[in-house]
Amino acid sequence: MYRETRQRKAIRRALKDAGHPLSPNELLEAAREHVSSLGIATVYRNLKSLQEEGRIVPVELPGEPARYEVAGKGHHHHFHCRQCDKVYEVDGCPGNLGSVTPPGFHLEDHEFVLYGLCDLCVA
Amino acid sequence: MYRETRQRKAIRRALKDAGHPLSPNELLEAAREHVSSLGIATVYRNLKSLQEEGRIVPVELPGEPARYEVAGKGHHHHFHCRQCDKVYEVDGCPGNLGSVTPPGFHLEDHEFVLYGLCDLCVA
DNA sequence: GTCGTTGCAAAGCGTTTGCAGCCTA
DNA sequence: TAGGCTGCAAACGCTTTGCAACGAC
């Protein structure tokens, strides 16, 4: 159904190579290394279709534009470095969620974001 | 330093009366009940100055426009109802954060968002 | 050759800013 | 009365959409 164009390949490859969530703009710059004429509209369109296919998932952090990462990584959360602005995956989950859910509320999902300095910026 | 204008009063009152975080637009509609000529630019300007004064704090949820609540409530998190789109405060905190922080990283803060149905929407 | 895809430019949408007149202190 | 504040409209940055040309199948 979806065609494998040069642009689409470049976008998927850039996302995979990055290893951490990328914003549309970061993705544009990265993918332009392979397809220099790439336009931002194409990035958005492909992000949308890749999401619909389930190949990537949005990583939405409070007050930040959405970033995207490859799907299928299992339950995890993110660490946002205040210095370099990169977003890292963190495995595991604090759990203990029922204890903070108000009575009568139905909990379906949760998001969890850590803020601080990554190992590179600590040094 | 800051003048207590009708607009400013209406905005602060609307925020206080709501009892839960409001978006700029929700705030505009609520505050217009008292000052019908109120403009959205004034809402944004007052939100900014009230923040600088420390009277309100932004509540930023992933993928959502910022909402605002009155400051001074102590450590808490939020529950976002998927049905009515309201945001509620939840007291307490799962804790156990150190266990998910990657080695070498310096944890300074965290955000935590619950998703599901509020008690009104469950019923 | 078909028809989905691309790049450009224009349109949207939420937020910010410039400016002349207004109103609080 | 002075200078901060307001409302309007224009500007802004990010995202989406319209359209004609392009290119994967």
Side-chain angles (χ1 to χ4, degrees):
Chain A
M1 170 161 187
Y2 287 109
R3 292 181 180 173
E4 277 302 303
T5 62
R6 288 180 309 133
Q7 291 84 347
R8 188 180 179 81
K9 277 181 197 156
I11 290 169
R12 292 183 60 185
R13 175 168 174 186
L15 252 191
K16 198 171 191 178
D17 289 354
H20 63 96
L22 294 180
S23 67
N25 242 313
E26 291 171 324
L27 199 43
L28 175 64
E29 288 183 24
R32 271 189 170 161
E33 308 250 321
H34 302 105
V35 182
S36 59
S37 68
L38 184 63
I40 186 68
T42 298
V43 172
Y44 279 105
R45 280 187 282 233
N46 273 285
L47 285 175
K48 197 172 183 184
S49 65
L50 288 168
Q51 259 189 88
E52 286 167 357
E53 288 177 84
R55 293 181 185 281
I56 66 174
V57 292
V59 176
E60 296 185 327
L61 303 189
E64 296 278 316
R67 295 159 208 240
Y68 298 84
E69 66 182 10
V70 301
K73 295 199 174 187
H75 188 71
H76 65 280
H77 296 292
H78 295 93
F79 185 104
H80 187 188
C81 179
R82 283 177 163 151
Q83 181 111 15
C84 67
D85 205 42
K86 274 214 194 79
V87 172
Y88 297 84
E89 286 178 33
V90 302
D91 291 327
C93 181
N96 206 22
L97 306 176
S99 69
V100 299
T101 306
F105 282 45
H106 175 63
L107 180 65
E108 293 179 343
D109 201 0
H110 66 280
E111 191 50 70
F112 191 52
V113 188
L114 301 174
Y115 298 94
L117 300 178
C118 71
D119 52 353
L120 295 176
C121 291
V122 163
Chain B
M1 172 161 188
Y2 289 108
R3 293 183 179 170
E4 278 301 305
T5 62
R6 288 181 309 137
Q7 290 84 347
R8 188 180 180 81
K9 278 181 197 155
I11 289 169
R12 291 183 60 185
R13 175 168 175 186
L15 252 190
K16 198 172 191 176
D17 288 353
H20 63 96
L22 294 180
S23 67
N25 243 313
E26 291 171 323
L27 199 43
L28 175 65
E29 288 183 25
R32 272 190 170 160
E33 309 249 320
H34 301 106
V35 181
S36 59
S37 67
L38 184 63
I40 185 68
T42 298
V43 173
Y44 279 106
R45 279 187 283 233
N46 273 286
L47 285 175
K48 198 173 181 182
S49 64
L50 288 169
Q51 257 188 90
E52 286 167 357
E53 288 178 84
R55 294 181 184 280
I56 66 174
V57 291
V59 176
E60 296 186 326
L61 303 189
E64 295 279 315
R67 296 159 207 239
Y68 297 84
E69 68 182 10
V70 301
K73 296 199 175 187
H75 188 71
H76 65 280
H77 296 292
H78 296 93
F79 186 105
H80 186 187
C81 179
R82 284 177 162 149
Q83 182 111 13
C84 66
D85 205 41
K86 273 215 193 79
V87 172
Y88 297 84
E89 286 178 33
V90 303
D91 291 328
C93 181
N96 206 20
L97 307 176
S99 70
V100 298
T101 305
F105 281 46
H106 176 64
L107 180 65
E108 293 177 343
D109 201 0
H110 66 280
E111 191 50 70
F112 190 54
V113 187
L114 301 174
Y115 299 95
L117 300 179
C118 72
D119 53 353
L120 295 176
C121 290
V122 163

